């Protein structure tokens, strides 16, 4: 009854709210509510002992029956941070593809944020495609950029690719290129890759904190509900950047989040101990990507792009 009541409240909020931005996060609550009756189905876990599932192997195997795969997420995150102090954009965006699956698995009430995430990742991918198609228009003969992507980022995997393709090869190459091209505006909104990355960066912190809290195993007392943990992580991160309506809707959405047993099944873990081992690895990988991105944005004064 509580969940049904929550959905009705959200529906009323949507009817009363004048949604001017049809492409923003607010718009996606409507379609989210219409699809709430979807039911997540899971395969039964195979019998295995904790001894068989060692710390080194946890999270590296495929979880049968699930769309979200923690093993893929880990591999993408590790690949994204494999180049010195930079973040490679292709595996970074692939990490988001997997995180979107994670959010969608939690149900449409929470997974609606994934719609906005997909929009952001699509923007960066489209910018990269445009740079590939129009090298002269995007980069021209900027020698400083050529020197940068050659010495700091390196060439792309394909030897035949010319220097312009490295524009969106990594976070730092993108920042350097867009600043040189005048695509980044510090006083009004643009669809630059840097501004888009900042929005993804903020959402990544929310997920990192949520998973970090979900991995905690208190020495005394009971485990807190995922609903409470997700709400707490949201209030300390994304809530600072959302409108009142989105904040209110998010608070209500967290009420209908799945219980902890759901997360065991989602990643094929049998108890909190195994879940903690896996999530700790994921959080560490997320943290490395987040920190590197944070440094790159902060060094260029981009943490408050409009």
């Amino acid at each position: 009854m509580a969940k049904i009541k929550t959905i009705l409240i959200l529906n009323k909020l949507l009817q009363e709210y004048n949604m001017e931005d049809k492409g923003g996060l607010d718009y996606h609550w409507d379609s989210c509510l219409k699809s709430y009756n979807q039911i997540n189905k899971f395969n039964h876990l195979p019998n295995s002992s904790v001894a068989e599932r060692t710390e080194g192997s946890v999270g590296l195997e495929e979880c049968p029956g699930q769309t979200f795969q923690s093993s893929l997420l880990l591999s993408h995150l590790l690949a994204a941070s494999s180049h010195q102090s930079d973040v490679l954009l292709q595996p970074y965006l692939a990490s988001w593809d997997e995180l979107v699956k994670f959010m969608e698995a939690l149900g449409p009430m929470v997974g609606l944020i994934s719609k906005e995430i997909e929009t952001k990742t699509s923007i960066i991918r489209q910018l990269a495609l445009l740079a590939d198609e129009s090298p002269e228009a995007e980069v021209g003969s900027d020698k400083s950029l050529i020197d940068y992507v050659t010495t700091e980022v390196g060439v792309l995997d394909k030897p035949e690719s010319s220097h312009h393709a490295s524009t969106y090869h990594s976070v730092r190459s993108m920042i350097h290129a867009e600043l040189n091209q005048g695509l980044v505006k510090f006083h009004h909104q643009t669809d630059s890759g840097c501004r888009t990355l900042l929005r993804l960066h903020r959402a990544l912190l929310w997920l990192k904190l949520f998973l970090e809290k979900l991995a905690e195993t208190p020495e005394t007392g009971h485990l807190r509900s995922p609903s409470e943990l997700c709400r707490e992580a949201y209030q300390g991160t994304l809530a600072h950047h959302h409108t009142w309506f989105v904040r209110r809707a998010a608070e209500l959405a967290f009420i209908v989040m799945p219980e902890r047993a759901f997360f065991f099944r989602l990643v094929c873990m049998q108890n909190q101990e195994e879940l903690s081992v896996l999530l700790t690895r994921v959080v560490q990988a997320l943290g490395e990507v987040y920190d590197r991105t944070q440094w790159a944005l902060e060094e260029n004064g981009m943490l408050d792009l409009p």
Side-chain angles (χ1 to χ4, degrees):
M1 291 296 296
K3 291 185 178 182
I4 295 176
K5 184 177 181 181
T6 299
I7 296 170
L8 292 176
I9 293 174
L10 280 168
N11 194 29
K12 184 177 180 180
L13 278 172
L14 284 169
Q15 293 174 355
E16 295 176 351
Y17 184 76
N18 181 20
M19 294 180 288
E20 296 180 356
D21 182 7
K22 298 301 182 181
L25 185 58
D26 298 336
Y27 173 71
H28 297 296
W29 283 103
D30 189 30
S31 59
C32 168
L33 289 169
K34 293 177 182 178
S35 60
Y36 181 70
N37 60 352
Q38 295 178 356
I39 300 175
N40 292 291
K41 298 180 179 179
F42 299 92
N43 292 345
H44 290 292
L45 289 174
N47 293 324
S48 62
S49 66
V50 174
E52 291 173 335
R53 301 166 65 80
T54 62
E55 181 173 343
S57 64
V58 169
L60 296 180
E61 301 129 357
E62 181 181 357
C63 184
Q66 302 301 333
T67 302
F68 166 71
Q69 295 293 330
S70 59
S71 59
L72 285 178
L73 175 58
L74 274 170
S75 65
H76 292 320
L77 289 170
L78 293 174
S81 58
S82 64
H83 193 283
Q84 299 176 5
S85 61
D86 209 347
V87 175
L88 303 181
L89 280 178
Q90 183 176 351
Y92 174 81
L93 296 176
S95 300
W96 269 116
D97 292 341
E98 208 60 36
L99 286 169
V100 163
K101 296 175 186 176
F102 172 77
M103 288 185 283
E104 290 177 341
L106 303 185
M109 299 303 293
V110 175
L112 81 92
I113 299 180
S114 67
K115 305 301 181 184
E116 187 74 358
I117 296 298
E118 288 180 311
T119 299
K120 301 303 183 187
T121 56
S122 294
I123 289 175
I124 296 179
R125 284 177 167 134
Q126 185 61 33
L127 288 170
L129 286 176
L130 290 174
D132 287 347
E133 294 171 358
S134 305
E136 293 79 11
E138 293 296 323
V139 177
S141 58
D142 189 337
K143 186 179 184 302
S144 63
L145 174 60
I146 298 174
D147 293 341
Y148 176 81
V149 298
T150 300
T151 60
E152 297 296 329
V153 179
V155 296
L156 287 175
D157 294 334
K158 296 181 180 180
E160 65 274 13
S161 297
S162 56
H163 70 265
H164 76 271
S166 290
T167 301
Y168 293 91
H169 181 58
S170 73
V171 166
R172 289 185 178 276
S173 69
M174 177 179 70
I175 290 175
H176 190 88
E178 291 196 340
L179 282 175
N180 281 347
Q181 297 163 24
L183 298 178
V184 182
K185 304 300 180 183
F186 291 87
H187 302 292
H188 65 269
Q189 180 178 328
T190 65
D191 285 329
S192 67
C194 292
R195 177 188 182 276
T196 304
L197 175 68
L198 176 60
R199 271 60 188 176
L200 291 173
H201 183 61
R202 292 168 177 171
L204 192 67
L205 180 59
W206 163 57
L207 288 174
K208 174 183 175 293
L209 291 181
F210 171 49
L211 295 178
E212 193 173 65
K213 294 175 183 294
L214 196 61
E216 293 176 353
T217 303
E219 295 181 1
T220 58
H222 65 282
L223 293 168
R224 292 194 291 166
S225 70
S227 173
E228 180 184 355
L229 299 176
C230 195
R231 181 188 302 108
E232 190 175 280
Y234 176 81
Q235 289 173 342
T237 54
L238 282 180
H240 300 305
H241 309 287
H242 283 168
T243 63
W244 176 90
F245 173 77
V246 175
R247 293 197 304 271
R248 177 59 176 163
E251 290 289 331
L252 293 171
F254 296 145
I255 296 175
V256 295
M257 275 195 67
E259 296 300 327
R260 190 173 292 265
F262 171 95
F263 294 90
F264 296 161
R265 298 191 295 270
L266 181 62
V267 293
C268 290
M269 299 291 126
Q270 296 186 0
N271 51 50
Q272 180 61 30
E273 181 181 358
E274 291 186 359
L275 182 66
S276 294
V277 172
L278 169 62
L279 292 186
T280 297
R281 294 187 64 189
V282 172
V283 168
Q284 289 174 345
L286 281 170
E288 183 65 28
V289 170
Y290 178 86
D291 289 344
R292 292 185 181 196
T293 306
Q294 176 79 4
W295 295 332
L297 291 171
E298 186 174 5
E299 286 172 3
N300 292 278
M302 293 183 174
L303 291 179
D304 296 303
L305 287 178

